[in-house]
Amino acid sequence: MSYPIKWSLSSLGPEPGTERFTRWLTKIRVEYQAFAKNAENFSTVVTAKSLAELVNEYSLCRREYWQVNSLVECYASSDTAREEYRQAEAAVAALFPHVEKADHLLDRIIKNIEEGTWSTLVDNKQLADVKGFIIRRRNEASTRLPDHLADFASELSVDGLNAWSRLYDSISAAVRIPVMEHGEVKMKSPGQVAFDSPDRTDRENKFFSSQKAWRDVDETAAATLNHIVGSRLTVNKYAERESHLTIPMQQNRVTQKTIDAMWSAITEAKPLVQKYLRTKQKLLGLPELNWYDLEAPLNLGSTKVGYQESCDIILDAFSKFHPPLRDFTELAFNNGWIEAEDRSGKRQGGFCIDFPTSEETRIFMTFRDTEESLSTLAHELGHAYHAWVLRKHPVVMQVYPMTLAETASTFAETVVASQRFDALTTTAAKVKALEYQLYDSVAFLMNIHARYIFENEMHRKRAEGELSAGELHDLMVKSQKTAYLDSLVEWNPTFWISKLHFYISYEPFYNFPYTVGYLLSQRLYEEARLDPAGFPARYDQFLISTGGPSALTAAKEAFGYDLESEAFWSEAIQPIRNRVEMFCQLAEEL
């Protein structure tokens, strides 16, 4: 069967730039203003009924804003040249102060409920469906800005923090990298340039061409990143937050103890990952490894996998694990929920985005007929299924932390990779498959660690003053050397520019949640192996619980995991240790 490779957006709302779209924005603004008026006049005597009604009104506003924001993101990502789409992003950003004001007003009401009233209110059956949400809002209220500053900061962010983030989107969208193809120099978007060629000279040329293209915008990027981080630090000061990591931990519903335990277990395991890198270097016949060699394919026969074939592979793997996951995936394939075409003018990267009003999702990526693209597609479908399982729940309970979002996506990716590996029969095929899985391990255990180290140090240094582009280049290389145990010779100093995650205004430290999700998914897959019949239902229930106030509680209640224990993370790393040993052993047999 042939599945569409371009998505359909027309059923999700009016196209940006049209009068209907403008009217939609106006309607959302009016709804938020009405909510604000009701919240400001809310009785100081809070009952379960009155709070349930207020949360419901808040949810309706949030659902509409979520829908329009997602739609604009889809249009703008798939066609960066359209001016009306960029203007629509700015128009949606202008709604953000109304969104944050609603948050502040609701938080204030929940925070100010007397403890005696709260203890009975929170267990009232009228609030049962949103209990996790109101508990989380009350827990997080202590780190909010004072009332007299909250609205001011929200309005200022339109032309401040969020504007700097949008500026980066414009800068990066305009970057073009010259690449030689068939005797002609072609200008490519960054997302179209990969370092996975079997020809090292080709990889090297693309790498240095990319470096030059990103260095051409490094001064503007440095100013942008300095102002994003500086804005956050200023808000942190006036909110009297303990550190620059308070909000990232809160947003991801984990503790600093959790993340410290995870990095400690990873650091202990890194020498084994180094063993994989040395073995790969030997198989490639290279005197040393450079940054642009990390994606290099082993000389074990080239395999291209097209989009249609990838869809069939994923469907087959999902059907063996959990038929409802397979049925959902086929629905997404058939109904044009995926934008995968390889063409110029698209933003780099990939994402899955939710449309709560329509109870649908959309997936954005650039499919390049590679194993990596197949894995990315499976990964994003894991996100999409997560949203699908939650679609009938209150919209405020559909908001889950990135740590658990990445657990769902990476778990789906692992299902596909593991089932494909189990079907292999030759040593060469197994080595190649293991190498691809271990490349992912390097990404999560080393690359993500480098990003975390960089961002942590950037926040610390920025508190003392702005950093120049040169200082940011140096800090990036220093972070990479630490995270990779100095395993490479040539590093990637411009990574802080090309990695868009550093410039996301609404979610700082868009890095460590990937590793949390990756390792948790590895542990979950081992759980699935032990209980193949009972696990899928337990997994779906776990996905539903992710809308609750704590990732630690969700993992503990569903599977008994203690995420603050270094022993848990060491156990979660065990499948990676096994793959490294198998890879090195099989490599000797080639």
Side-chain angles (χ1 to χ4, degrees), residues 56-74:
N56 183 62
E57 184 182 1
Y58 170 89
S59 299
L60 293 174
C61 293
R62 190 75 184 191
R63 185 179 66 183
E64 282 297 297
Y65 172 74
W66 192 345
Q67 182 90 3
V68 73
N69 188 63
S70 294
L71 188 60
V72 169
E73 177 74 11
C74 287

Side-chain angles (χ1 to χ4, degrees), residues 218-219 221-223 225-226 454 458 462 465-475 496:
D218 63 358
E219 293 294 341
L225 189 57
N226 272 292
F454 172 85
M458 170 66 180
R462 180 63 183 86
E466 294 189 16
L467 285 78
S468 68
E471 289 173 316
L472 290 169
H473 290 315
D474 291 343
L475 180 58
W496 65 272

Side-chain angles (χ1 to χ4, degrees), residues 20-133:
R20 284 181 59 225
F21 181 82
T22 302
R23 288 199 299 269
W24 189 17
L25 293 184
T26 301
K27 174 177 174 287
I28 295 170
R29 185 179 299 107
V30 169
E31 288 173 348
Y32 265 111
Q33 289 169 342
F35 172 83
K37 184 177 180 179
N38 290 339
E40 286 165 346
N41 296 324
F42 196 72
S43 172
T44 54
V45 180
V46 183
T47 65
K49 182 176 183 295
S50 65
L51 184 57
E53 289 174 348
L54 188 69
V55 171
N56 183 62
E57 184 182 1
Y58 170 89
S59 299
L60 293 174
C61 293
R62 190 75 184 191
R63 185 179 66 183
E64 282 297 297
Y65 172 74
W66 192 345
Q67 182 90 3
V68 73
N69 188 63
S70 294
L71 188 60
V72 169
E73 177 74 11
C74 287
Y75 274 107
S77 297
S78 59
D79 192 346
T80 59
R82 294 284 290 272
E83 178 63 27
E84 60 266 42
Y85 297 164
R86 290 197 295 271
Q87 291 175 351
E89 285 186 298
V92 171
L95 289 174
F96 195 65
H98 297 284
V99 177
E100 286 216 320
K101 183 175 183 178
D103 289 345
H104 298 149
L105 289 169
L106 184 62
D107 286 349
R108 184 175 67 189
I109 290 167
I110 294 175
K111 178 184 178 182
N112 291 338
I113 297 172
E114 294 287 341
E115 192 59 42
T117 303
W118 173 259
S119 61
T120 55
L121 196 69
V122 72
D123 289 321
N124 191 289
K125 64 180 181 180
Q126 293 185 71
L127 292 164
D129 288 346
V130 296
K131 179 179 178 179
F133 169 73

Side-chain angles (χ1 to χ4, degrees), residues 377-417:
L377 182 56
H379 180 99
E380 300 302 341
L381 285 163
H383 281 307
Y385 182 67
H386 192 175
W388 181 256
V389 169
L390 284 165
R391 72 192 185 284
K392 297 296 184 183
H393 291 259
V395 69
V396 294
M397 295 300 291
Q398 295 177 36
V399 181
Y400 39 80
M402 185 179 166
T403 43
L404 300 182
E406 291 306 316
T407 301
S409 58
T410 312
F411 181 80
E413 192 177 344
T414 303
V415 167
V416 174

Side-chain angles (χ1 to χ4, degrees), residues 68 117 121 131 134 149 208-209 223 312 442 465 523 558 589:
V68 73
T117 303
L121 196 69
K131 179 179 178 179
I134 61 172
L149 291 177
F208 285 109
S209 185
D312 290 335
V442 170
R523 182 63 187 87
E589 299 175 14

